[in-house]
Amino acid sequence: MTDLKHIRNFSIVAHIDHGKSTLADRLIQKTGGLAEREMQQQVLDSMDIERERGITIKAQTVRLSYKANNGETYVLNLIDTPGHVDFAYEVNRSLAACEGSLLVVDASQGVEAQTLANVYQAIEVDHEIVPVLNKIDLPAAEPDRVKQQIEDVIGLDATDAVEISAKTGIGIDDVLEAIVERLPSPIGDRDAPLKAMLVDSWYDAYLGVIVLIRVIDGTIKKGQKVKMMNTGAIYDLDRVGVFTPKLVEMPELGPGEIGFITASIKEVADTNVGDTITDAKKPCAQALEGFRPAQPVVFCGLFPVDANDFEDLRAAMGKLRLNDASFSYEMETSAALGFGFRCGFLGLLHLEIIQERLSREFDLDLIATAPSVVYELGLRDGSETQLHNPADMPDVMKIEEIREPWIKANILTPDEYLGPILKLCQDRRGIQTDLTYVGTRAMVQYDLPLNEVVFDFYDRLKSISKGYASFDYQISDYRAGDLVKMSVLVNGEPVDALSMLVHRSAAEARGRVMCEKLKELIPQHLFKIPIQAAIGGKVIARETISALRKDVTAKCYGGDATRKRKLLDKQKAGKKKMRQFGKVEIPQEAFIKALKMGDN
Amino acid sequence: MHWPFCAAKCPYCDFNSHVHRGPFDEDAYVENYLTEISQTAELVPNRTVRSIFFGGGTPSLMQPQSVEKIINAISTKWQLSNDVEITLEANPTSVEQEKFQAIRLAGVNRVSLGVQSLRADPLAALGRLHSVEDAVAAVKLAQSNFDRVSYDLIYARPNQTLDEWRDELNEALDLAREHISLYALTIEHGTRYYDLFHAGKLAMPDPELSADFYELTQEICEARGLPAYEISNHAAPGEESRHNLTYWQYGEYAGIGPGAHGRLLIDGQRHATSTERMPFKWAEYVSAKGDGFVEFDALSRGEQADEYLLMGLRLKTGISPSRFEALAGQKLRQEQIDHLTEIGFVEILADGNLRVTDKGWPVLDAVVADLAA
């Protein structure tokens, strides 16, 4: 066990691509956590998706041993926090497990919206923050301008910012010294009853659920009987240890230390991030503050392209949930898409990650319906209910009020793109709350309905700003809105997978775009097909697909039979992938593409 | 019988045709046909041959004695029926016209001429080596030499209007006697037209206009006494191409020569065969092993049923649902037939056959796909 004075717990706050993982790798290398041959680029991001996208999904931790210039040896615990707002609560808990942060900013790119959101979170949990300018070796690096920006935008003193290049190794020693010199050591009472925070947990095929903890008071050791204060569950600890980043068992962990425990915990769902772990026989008086259970904010339906994959999909979701308790799913039936699941996610990135993991790790072809937010319905009879799926909307006559979630969005952009970005936000019912300039960059804050953001807002933002604008948001509150359910009818049959809740003012435009898209996406049939968008019984937009008039092979003789048969096979296979709506066959891509609506 | 050589490659044609320059020993090359005929006759012995078709390529470039040798070989290995139909495809150039008599003497009793157009500009655009005058003369000469003559035209060509086609078709029908084949121009993969079309340099009619072309063609031919008996083939009653009917009625046929396809019944099992496409490689195969087969596949019930459906529904007489059932081992889906009947695309004839209606013909491929699915 290490005495408190020789412990530093820190995390790294950065925007995607600003070099957080590379810096972490360097720190591990420099302190000898891994031999050269064991270094794999970006050691901490262990999932393929994390490595490819340069983002962290699960919190990871590494314990470094560093002999400082003052001759003393320190334990440095780095928690690599998830870098995305979807995981805001996880980020908050990871940060709460540390006393300080390194704020890594790309010396050529400057501060981004995501950096801002994360650094504010670090400030909120009283972190000491050391600014670090990365990529200082690049010709485009402008350290002085970026320091100024850090001071102006974030309000941090950047005079002593550490200038580094994580890629080449410049300045890594200075970072280590700054951690020791400038970050506070943790405080805690070794003799008090055990109080530890559950920072994160994940499933390991060999060890079962691994729980990442930060010990606040007391000690935790192998064989100890511990209690999760929120769930009330009691476990005998099998192992206690740390990551160096290799898993190393320890006899015990004391106050200020960060490490892991394992017990016979079967599912990640049994462990709640933010829960307080205490001794079962001698519990601490009070649980830690700030605990809240994971709440999905975005829902969508996931359906197998091939109906035969349904059971595989169910199994895959079960496996994913083993490791990600914030993801929820329940069975859903759609006339359009057959059997599938209604799934809840922490946000859009979370949705994308789960979808990608299902297709990549489990080799499943999926159709996702339009993401929908969780609406609150106030009914005429005085009761309240939540709506996760537009298809389940009760009769409008029974509804007094529909409330939708709003977000506070931060957008940072080079000022030349500000005009179109403001228009985009206005079009999406946004309310501007702040607009400031930092040099040639504008920072604008908007209140936006989340419902408008889940509709490819981010893609639009990226495209109108040529990728330069950055965006981050936090859920703020629920507000009543004039929302209506828009249904889509193909050849007179409602297509449940395409129904959606929209603001009345946007319904007609959405309906028109949807009908136009479907007209492009549904192939011609032998008969003409009307496509309608409707609110209740009222048609607000319509298009017609004309009947197919010419589709015949002019020449077909003895030598063509084989080729034509093979073509017919392909056609049959294609038809199998279509969804039957009455007499109309709709290709699956049509659903996917129709649901990916742009602002065109 | 596939003769793979042409004097020039036409820009729209995706057939197995090759332009051969340099010394060529035709007698030696023809030996391969004779070898392949004997070998095939051992696989499917004791057949009565009802038709022979020399296609290509340009079989009219063959020497008449080559044609004769092949016909003789067939008649030795199998039995020719008394009314055997022997067709040869010919191009209407003056060189070929000179051979008509000799070809007739070799045993050919029907020719099919690749006229393609009766207008000078389109002929040039289609890469044809003959003039309009050549074509008219060739048709007339053929008609005086052979009992039965057909010729081909291509319509729905780039920039062609309906009025232009109406005039051209009427002239063509003045010239035609008992049979004509009228093909809507199709852009085939691997042709020069394909590249031009995809480079945006070929103004092809849109689906609406090409549907109008098709309807107009049916209307005029019907009125002129040469109704369609197949999607692109028109004949006076009884003058249908017997050979091609075998394909569409899903009968048995042997393919001889490079890139030729066959459907052979061996011990009651239908096989799909095809031979090597490259002319000289095929010849090497035949000299080495007696045949040029590169494919020899037993067809499953489902495959046979699909082929019967897609070939048979091209005919005005339609398909026999009971034969389909015998091939497939299951019936056509009644629900699908009912729906297609209700919207007017198929009908059941008095003899019980299922056929595609006049309304259904222009969209035959979609109807077949619906029935087969």
Side-chain angles (χ1 to χ4, degrees), chain A residues 524 526-527 546-566 568-569 571-572 575 583 585, chain B residues 183-184 208 210-212 215 232-233 244 247-248 253 263 299 303 306-307 310 314 339 345 362-366 369-370 372-373:
Chain A
Q524 281 188 310
L526 293 171
F527 44 91
S546 60
L548 182 68
R549 279 197 63 201
K550 190 80 198 300
D551 180 18
V552 59
T553 307
K555 281 191 176 194
C556 188
Y557 295 99
D560 302 305
T562 305
R563 194 169 51 90
K564 289 288 293 173
R565 166 169 46 83
K566 287 179 178 166
L568 186 60
D569 275 344
Q571 272 178 297
K572 288 199 279 187
K575 276 176 180 284
K583 290 292 165 202
E585 287 167 336
Chain B
Y183 299 108
E208 293 298 307
S210 71
D212 293 341
E215 271 174 25
S232 304
N233 283 278
N244 291 337
Y247 296 143
W248 298 317
Y253 53 94
R263 287 293 178 277
L299 291 170
E303 287 170 334
D306 279 354
E307 291 190 346
L310 69 91
R314 298 183 67 84
H339 171 59
F345 288 83
V363 289
L364 175 71
D365 291 3
D370 277 357

